[in-house]
């Protein structure tokens, strides 16, 4: 019987090639989109699960408010790791990372440096914590001694044969000599250590041995014993404030108590987060690597579901619409003895065949489009051909999609009453008009919702790009690694400034776009030990040309001036710092603060200027308090260029670099590119919305196109009569189109408030955001109407221009 059902299903699909194509292609698009998004989501959910006992590993982080500044840190104090291991029996192991950033490495005896971007100090328990093995070297001793390091395979191969790597000497930043004690395999892309290539022994890092609970610089990971409950250590961790932190603070704020600390509106809360949750649930200060957010996963999940549901709705819609053509077939089969179960089985087999064909086509589409999707999502996802579980899921999806999309048409058509359908007396009631209309509304409501979402995302991105940032990011070149020039850094800067296409240049390690960050607690000269007067500020070391090169606007006081020797102990602050102090910018001039509270020899810095607030953090965050002070320590140099030929500027600056630092890599980037990279996730989300909104509209239009064709065919005789009675082509086209446009109008009415609510929730994550204007909804509605008119008009006009003689012959 199954074989017979299969033959009939195949013949039925072959008899209706247009209908079969619309269903198969529409479903294939939905499945392909859903498959690509599912692979992306699976990759995102797999982060850091490759490590041994990953579910037992947690990171300790700190939520702190002090000196008018509240921040959530991914780091904790140096003594945290040893303390939790000593205090908690639940903790089996603890270790720390102290990220450094980039370093210049060269083999001993050579002159040319190679730059490694991901370097960090780690405790010797690093390997045991994550269950790692070395390709070369001994994990028990590899990082026990100071001045030792372990390289990833790729980093090691840049310098020597990895079989001979252990025991070799590398010079770091043209200064320190380190011995290679191991080589480890490269970390996968779905690991938080994916960008790290150099792991140095913490035993050689002096700061790691200082018991200072007031400084948070270390990523601290703990591994629990299998029987432990992580909730049991949360309350004791919160108790570290009174047990360890306050006693440490009392050395520079005598007599302070935990109660006084909290009464002043301050807080410090230590807590933990599972390592496997960090990638999607953590966006804290000093993350060891870039993270995604769970919101984007929810959004993509909804898009994937929408695509699949839209494709299934297409199938249901077209199948019920074509029920009139098959009504007599159902009536005859029932008359000849077929029961409802057999008919349902027949129609489900047909939908299963369409589902199978769609799945095969979708796999082909996914294979073809995967490179483009990887480029769009900044991923390296591969289809897991060798994973049996993957194929089982696809097979299950074929069955489920076939049942889901074919169930309503199957049960609907199996209910036809033979006498009525054979007489043709109920033809007007066939096809499930109300349900079909509801499904059209559903399809276009989703499409309009996605159009609104796309417009809002792009509007927010445009706002970010066009907003006054408070500094000049255009035509600013950042030259990295100027510290390697040593005493020649200043002369390099002066030589560059002489170039005709250079406006100005400045040496610093701190820039408004992603770069180094350093913050300190400043205490006023008056009220030195009063915690309520303390001010937490970013502390950036700069040179005399920094303010002018960056294009900051001074709203009070002056900038740094070489004619004032006292400027070595002067600072410039931003508006936010003045606001926290609670005075006007003019009143701030002359105030003295020290970042050295508790030290034997404190240096007081005088505020000489106030700059207008500028954005140095993503727009999701408020502008923090900030101070600038003069410093001769600089990692990079910013060069403000004249507009024109940047290639000549680059070659000129590189030529000077090569003269000053032969053998050193010339590494640079443009500030504008770095700014754009900050919002890459939002830009990626915008592109994904744009593409999948287009796919959803395409699927909806395929369904509408098929329905319009069916509607025109069903009303062939009516069209002929109207033409004979004098109706014009435009009048007939209008009559055929207006019902569909009403449904689109209802869809717009339903989707507008949903789109407004959802996108307002998304914008809440931004401290600086747009207000959603009425024009967004007008454009979304206009696009939906225009697209539906174009889709329906073809079939309407095609039917309207047919010779009425042919139309009236159809009966």
């Amino acid at each position: 019987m199954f074989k017979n059902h299969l033959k009939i299903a195949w013949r039925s699909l072959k008899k209706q090639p247009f209908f079969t194509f619309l269903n198969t292609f529409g479903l294939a698009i939905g499945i392909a989109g859903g498959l690509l998004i599912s692979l992306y989501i699976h990759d995102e959910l797999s982060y850091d699960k490759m490590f041994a006992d990953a579910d037992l590993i947690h990171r300790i982080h700190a939520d702190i408010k002090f000196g008018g500044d509240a921040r959530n840190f991914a780091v904790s104090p140096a003594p945290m790791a040893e303390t939790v291991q000593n205090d908690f029996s639940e903790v089996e192991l603890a270790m720390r990372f102290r990220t450094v950033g980039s370093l210049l490495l060269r083999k001993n005896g050579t002159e040319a440096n190679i730059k490694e971007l991901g370097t960090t100090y780690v405790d010797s328990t690093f390997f045991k914590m994550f269950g790692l093995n070395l390709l070369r070297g001994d994990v028990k001793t590899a990082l026990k001694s100071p001045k030792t390091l372990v390289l990833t395979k790729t980093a090691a191969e840049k310098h020597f044969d990895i079989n001979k790597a252990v025991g070799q000497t590398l010079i770091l930043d043209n200064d320190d000599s380190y011995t290679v004690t191991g080589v480890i395999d490269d970390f996968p892309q779905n690991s938080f250590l994916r960008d790290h290539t150099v792991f140095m022994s913490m035993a050689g890092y002096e700061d790691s041995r200082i018991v200072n609970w007031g400084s948070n610089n270390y990523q601290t990971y703990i591994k629990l014993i299998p029987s432990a409950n992580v909730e049991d250590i949360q309350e004791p961790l919160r108790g570290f404030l009174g047990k360890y932190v306050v006693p440490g603070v009392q050395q520079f704020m005598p007599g302070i108590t935990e109660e006084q600390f909290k009464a002043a509106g301050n807080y410090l809360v230590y807590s933990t987060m599972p390592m496997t949750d960090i990638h999607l649930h953590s966006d804290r200060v000093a993350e060891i690597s870039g993270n995604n957010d769970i919101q984007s996963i929810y959004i993509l999940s909804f898009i994937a579901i929408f695509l699949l549901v839209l494709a299934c709705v297409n199938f249901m819609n077209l199948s019920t619409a074509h029920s009139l053509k098959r009504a007599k077939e159902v009536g005859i089969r029932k008359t000849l003895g077929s029961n409802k179960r057999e008919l349902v089985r027949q129609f489900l087999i047909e939908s299963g065949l369409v589902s199978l064909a769609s799945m095969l086509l979708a796999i082909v589409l996914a294979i073809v489009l995967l490179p483009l999707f990887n480029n769009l999502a900044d991923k390296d996802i591969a289809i897991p051909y060798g994973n049996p579980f993957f194929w089982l899921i696809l097979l299950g999806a074929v069955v489920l999609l076939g049942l889901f999309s074919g169930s309503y048409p199957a049960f609907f058509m199996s209910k036809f009453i033979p006498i009525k359908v054979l007489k043709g007396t109920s033809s007007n009631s066939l096809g499930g008009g109300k349900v079909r209309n509801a499904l059209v509304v559903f399809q276009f409501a989703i499409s309009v919702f996605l159009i609104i979402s796309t417009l809002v995302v792009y509007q927010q991105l445009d706002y970010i790009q066009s907003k006054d940032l408070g500094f000049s990011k255009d035509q600013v070149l950042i030259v990295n690694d100027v510290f390697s020039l040593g005493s020649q850094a200043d002369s390099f800067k002066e030589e560059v400034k002489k170039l005709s296409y250079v406006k100005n240049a400045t040496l610093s390690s701190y820039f408004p776009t992603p770069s180094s960050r350093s913050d300190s607690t400043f205490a006023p000269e008056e009220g030195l030990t009063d915690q309520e007067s303390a001010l937490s500020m970013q502390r950036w070391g700069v040179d005399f040309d920094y303010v002018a090169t960056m294009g900051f606007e001074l709203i009070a006081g002056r900038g740094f001036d070489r004619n004032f020797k006292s400027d070595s102990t002067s600072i410039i602050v931003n508006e936010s710092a003045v606001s926290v102090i609670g005075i006007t910018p003019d009143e701030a001039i002359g105030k003295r603060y020290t970042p050295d509270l508790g030290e034997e020899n404190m240096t007081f810095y005088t505020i000489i200027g106030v700059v207008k607030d500028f954005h140095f953090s993503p727009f999701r965050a408020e502008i923090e308090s900030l101070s600038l002070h003069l410093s001769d320590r600089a990692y990079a140099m910013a060069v403000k260029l004249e507009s024109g030929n940047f290639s000549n500027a680059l070659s000129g600056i590189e030529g000077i670099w090569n003269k000053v630092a032969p053998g050193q890599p010339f590494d640079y980037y443009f500030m504008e590119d770095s700014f754009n990279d900050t919002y890459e996730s939002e830009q990626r989300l915008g592109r994904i919305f744009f593409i999948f909104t287009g796919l959803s509209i395409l699927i909806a239009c395929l369904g509408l196109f098929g329905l319009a064709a069916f509607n025109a065919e069903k009303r062939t005789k009516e069209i002929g009569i109207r033409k004979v009675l004098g109706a014009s082509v435009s009048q007939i086209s209008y009559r055929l189109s207006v019902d569909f446009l009403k449904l689109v109008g209802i869809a717009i009415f339903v989707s507008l408030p949903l789109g407004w609510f959802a996108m307002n929730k998304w914008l809440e994550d931004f401290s600086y955001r747009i207000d959603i204007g009425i024009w967004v909804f007008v454009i979304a509605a206009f696009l939906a109407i225009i697209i539906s008119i174009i889709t329906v008009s073809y079939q309407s006009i095609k039917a309207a221009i047919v010779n009425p003689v042919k139309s009236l012959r159809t009966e």
Side-chain angles (χ1 to χ4, degrees):
M1 185 59 74
F2 176 76
K3 186 176 180 182
N4 182 53
H5 285 320
L6 204 59
K7 283 183 178 179
I8 294 173
W10 177 248
R11 289 171 184 167
S12 176
L13 294 173
K14 283 177 67 179
K15 278 172 62 178
Q16 307 171 83
F18 179 65
F19 161 75
T20 302
F21 167 76
L22 287 180
N23 268 337
T24 304
F25 187 62
L27 202 54
I29 291 173
I31 295 172
L35 178 58
L36 291 173
I37 291 175
S38 297
L39 290 172
Y40 176 89
I41 292 173
H42 177 267
D43 181 73
E44 288 292 302
L45 295 176
S46 70
Y47 266 69
D48 300 320
K49 291 182 178 178
M50 76 290 297
F51 295 118
D53 300 323
D55 57 325
L56 297 177
I57 302 174
H58 299 255
R59 186 185 70 191
I60 296 176
H61 49 232
D63 299 329
I64 303 174
K65 181 182 180 184
F66 187 70
D69 183 34
R71 284 195 282 175
N72 301 322
F73 289 92
V75 286
S76 54
M80 177 63 77
E82 183 179 1
T83 304
V84 293
Q85 192 158 3
N86 291 336
D87 284 17
F88 302 137
S89 59
E90 295 90 345
V91 176
E92 176 188 339
L93 200 63
M95 64 82 53
R96 301 164 299 173
F97 292 93
R98 178 63 168 94
T99 55
V100 176
S102 61
L103 287 175
L104 297 174
L105 278 70
R106 59 182 173 86
K107 189 177 177 181
N108 192 28
T110 62
E111 294 298 326
N113 278 301
I114 296 175
K115 189 172 185 176
E116 293 294 337
L117 298 176
T119 62
T120 180
Y121 288 99
V122 294
D123 286 313
S124 60
T125 49
F126 168 60
F127 306 106
K128 187 177 179 181
M129 172 68 74
F130 298 104
L132 302 173
N133 294 311
L134 290 176
L135 299 176
R136 301 290 183 274
D138 184 358
V139 294
K140 295 179 181 178
T141 60
L143 294 174
K144 288 281 187 182
S145 303
K147 302 291 185 179
T148 58
L149 59 78
V150 169
L151 299 171
T152 60
K153 181 182 177 183
T154 298
E157 287 174 339
K158 296 176 183 177
H159 300 277
F160 24 65
D161 182 349
I162 64 168
N163 294 314
K164 302 176 182 178
V166 176
Q168 296 279 356
T169 299
L170 287 175
I171 311 300
L172 275 59
D173 281 345
N174 297 318
D175 186 15
D176 294 330
S177 297
Y178 275 71
T179 302
V180 179
T181 54
V183 177
I184 196 169
D185 208 354
D186 293 342
F187 288 93
Q189 285 301 302
N190 58 343
S191 161
F192 75 99
L193 295 171
R194 60 190 175 277
D195 297 323
H196 286 75
T197 55
V198 181
F199 301 89
M200 300 174 289
S201 172
M202 192 75 78
Y205 190 59
E206 184 178 349
D207 180 75
S208 68
R209 297 188 294 274
I210 299 174
V211 180
N212 180 3
W213 286 92
S215 179
N216 298 277
N217 293 306
Y218 295 82
Q219 293 255 351
T220 304
Y221 285 77
I222 60 173
K223 180 186 282 189
L224 302 180
I225 59 175
S227 60
N229 184 347
V230 70
E231 295 302 321
D232 292 340
I233 69 171
Q234 302 306 316
E235 191 61 37
L237 267 178
R238 285 191 282 272
F240 276 24
L241 171 61
K243 189 175 181 180
Y244 297 108
V245 179
V246 170
V249 173
Q250 285 176 344
Q251 61 179 314
F252 52 86
M253 287 187 176
I256 186 175
T257 65
E258 182 178 357
E259 290 72 24
Q260 290 173 334
F261 179 83
K262 293 179 178 178
N266 300 316
Y267 59 77
L268 191 159
V269 179
Y270 295 120
S271 55
T272 65
M273 176 178 282
M275 177 182 67
T276 51
D277 286 354
I278 291 172
H279 180 67
L280 292 176
H281 296 273
S282 184
D283 183 23
R284 293 172 165 267
V285 177
E287 293 284 354
I288 197 169
S289 59
N291 293 333
N292 204 339
D293 66 281
I294 194 66
Q295 187 184 61
S296 67
I297 300 302
Y298 292 147
I299 292 171
L300 289 174
S301 299
F302 282 125
I303 290 176
I305 293 170
F306 285 163
L307 285 175
L308 290 172
V309 171
L310 282 174
C312 291
V313 164
N314 253 8
F315 187 95
M316 293 179 187
N317 239 348
L318 293 173
S319 296
T320 55
H322 280 73
S323 61
L324 179 60
K325 280 189 171 183
R326 304 193 64 179
K328 289 185 178 180
E329 174 195 338
V330 173
I332 292 170
R333 294 183 64 173
K334 277 197 167 186
T335 303
L336 295 175
S338 291
N339 57 36
K340 183 177 178 180
R341 181 183 298 176
E342 288 298 319
L343 290 169
V344 168
R345 187 179 299 167
Q346 174 66 55
F347 293 126
L348 286 178
I349 287 174
E350 286 184 22
S351 67
L353 277 177
V354 173
S355 178
L356 178 61
S358 300
M359 179 62 77
L360 294 175
L361 179 57
I363 292 172
V364 173
L365 288 173
I367 292 171
V368 172
L369 297 174
L370 187 58
L372 296 175
F373 182 77
N374 277 331
N375 184 56
L376 170 72
D378 193 25
K379 288 281 187 182
D380 190 21
I381 300 170
I383 295 177
Y385 299 107
N387 188 342
F389 190 61
F390 170 75
W391 296 107
L392 284 174
I393 291 175
L394 290 187
L395 182 61
V398 169
V399 175
L400 288 174
L401 287 172
L403 289 172
F404 179 68
S405 58
S407 57
Y408 175 72
F411 285 103
F412 176 80
M413 287 188 280
S414 66
K415 287 182 178 181
F416 291 168
I417 300 171
I419 294 176
K420 289 187 176 182
V421 296
L422 290 175
K423 282 184 178 180
T425 57
S426 61
S427 62
N428 290 334
S429 66
L430 297 178
K434 290 182 179 179
V435 174
R436 186 168 66 249
N437 290 345
L439 294 177
V440 170
V441 170
F442 177 75
Q443 281 186 308
F444 268 87
I446 290 176
S447 298
V448 174
F449 174 84
L450 290 175
I451 291 172
I452 292 170
S453 302
T454 303
L455 291 173
V456 171
V457 170
Y458 273 99
Q459 190 184 4
Q460 176 66 15
L461 288 174
D462 181 67
Y463 171 78
I464 291 170
Q465 293 289 343
S466 59
K467 188 180 187 303
D468 180 14
L469 301 174
F471 68 93
S472 175
K473 63 181 173 60
D474 300 328
Q475 299 160 213
V476 177
L477 177 75
I478 307 294
V479 180
N480 287 321
D481 306 322
V482 295
F483 67 89
S484 65
L485 305 180
S487 59
Q488 298 184 80
D490 283 318
S491 60
F492 170 66
K493 171 189 162 182
E494 294 305 318
E495 287 298 314
V496 168
K497 287 176 69 175
K498 292 177 183 177
L499 297 174
S500 59
Y501 30 74
V502 171
K503 287 185 177 180
N504 212 335
T506 181
L507 294 166
S508 180
S509 296
Y510 306 90
F511 298 103
T513 49
S515 62
S516 299
R517 293 289 181 261
S518 175
D519 64 293
S520 298
T521 299
F522 286 74
E525 189 173 29
E526 299 175 0
L528 191 61
T529 59
D530 180 8
Q531 61 168 326
E532 294 186 25
S533 301
L535 177 62
S536 179
M537 289 194 290
Q538 288 281 321
R539 189 184 183 199
W540 294 9
V542 301
D543 69 4
F544 288 100
D545 298 312
Y546 188 86
V547 172
T549 304
M550 291 295 102
F552 296 157
E553 180 185 343
L554 276 165
I555 59 175
R558 61 176 179 83
F560 295 117
D561 191 327
R562 290 178 177 83
N563 296 319
F564 292 87
K565 292 184 179 180
S566 61
D567 277 3
S568 61
T569 55
S570 298
I571 56 174
I572 297 171
V573 299
N574 66 352
E575 285 179 291
S576 291
V578 172
S579 177
V580 172
I581 297 171
I583 56 178
T584 66
D586 289 324
E587 291 171 340
I589 305 302
K591 297 288 185 183
R592 286 161 54 84
Y593 283 79
T594 179
D596 305 324
L597 199 60
E599 295 185 11
E600 188 173 338
N601 297 311
M602 291 185 290
T603 301
F604 283 90
Y605 290 82
T606 303
I607 297 177
I608 61 168
V610 178
V611 294
K612 184 178 178 181
D613 274 345
F614 59 91
H615 291 272
F616 55 89
S617 295
F619 276 52
R620 293 180 184 273
E622 296 280 356
I623 296 176
E624 301 173 31
S625 301
L626 175 140
S627 69
L628 308 175
H629 69 278
L630 290 175
S631 172
D632 58 1
R633 298 179 62 183
Y635 175 83
M637 183 173 75
V639 183
K640 180 68 175 179
L641 302 173
E642 297 278 2
S643 58
N645 193 335
F646 288 158
S647 60
N648 287 340
L650 276 173
S651 60
I653 296 170
E654 185 175 7
I656 297 173
W657 174 274
N658 290 332
K659 289 179 182 178
V660 177
Q664 305 300 322
F666 180 66
D667 184 42
Y668 67 90
Y669 64 89
F670 282 96
M671 185 175 281
E672 186 172 15
D673 294 336
S674 179
F675 175 81
N676 292 335
D677 290 344
T678 305
Y679 300 97
E680 178 58 33
S681 60
E682 285 80 11
Q683 292 171 350
R684 189 183 306 126
L685 182 64
R687 293 193 295 267
I688 289 173
F689 261 122
F690 180 79
I691 290 172
F692 286 101
T693 296
L695 289 179
S696 72
I697 292 172
L698 175 60
I699 293 171
C701 287
L702 285 174
L704 197 61
F705 186 80
L707 289 176
F710 169 75
N711 188 48
E713 185 178 343
K714 193 172 83 167
R715 299 173 68 176
T716 300
K717 191 172 183 180
E718 175 195 336
I719 294 169
I721 293 171
R722 286 183 180 277
K723 289 198 75 173
V724 169
L725 295 175
S728 66
V729 171
S730 60
Q731 288 174 324
I732 293 172
S733 298
Y734 171 78
R735 298 287 299 182
L736 291 174
S737 304
V738 69
D739 290 337
F740 289 112
L741 293 179
K742 287 178 182 177
L743 298 178
V744 174
I746 295 171
I748 291 170
F749 181 77
V750 170
S751 61
L752 293 186
L754 292 175
W756 177 86
F757 176 79
M759 295 317 294
N760 260 309
K761 293 294 289 183
W762 179 72
L763 288 169
E764 284 178 2
D765 285 343
F766 292 89
S767 296
Y768 303 90
R769 49 161 286 184
I770 60 167
D771 292 320
I772 302 177
I774 189 68
W775 69 267
V776 171
F777 305 107
V778 172
I779 290 177
F782 178 76
L783 287 174
I785 292 170
I786 291 298
I787 290 168
S788 60
I789 288 174
I790 293 171
T791 304
V792 174
S793 293
Y794 172 77
Q795 291 293 350
S796 301
I797 295 171
K798 180 181 175 184
I801 61 177
V802 171
N803 190 326
V805 175
K806 287 187 177 181
S807 301
L808 294 174
R809 270 193 206 150
T810 57
E811 296 293 329

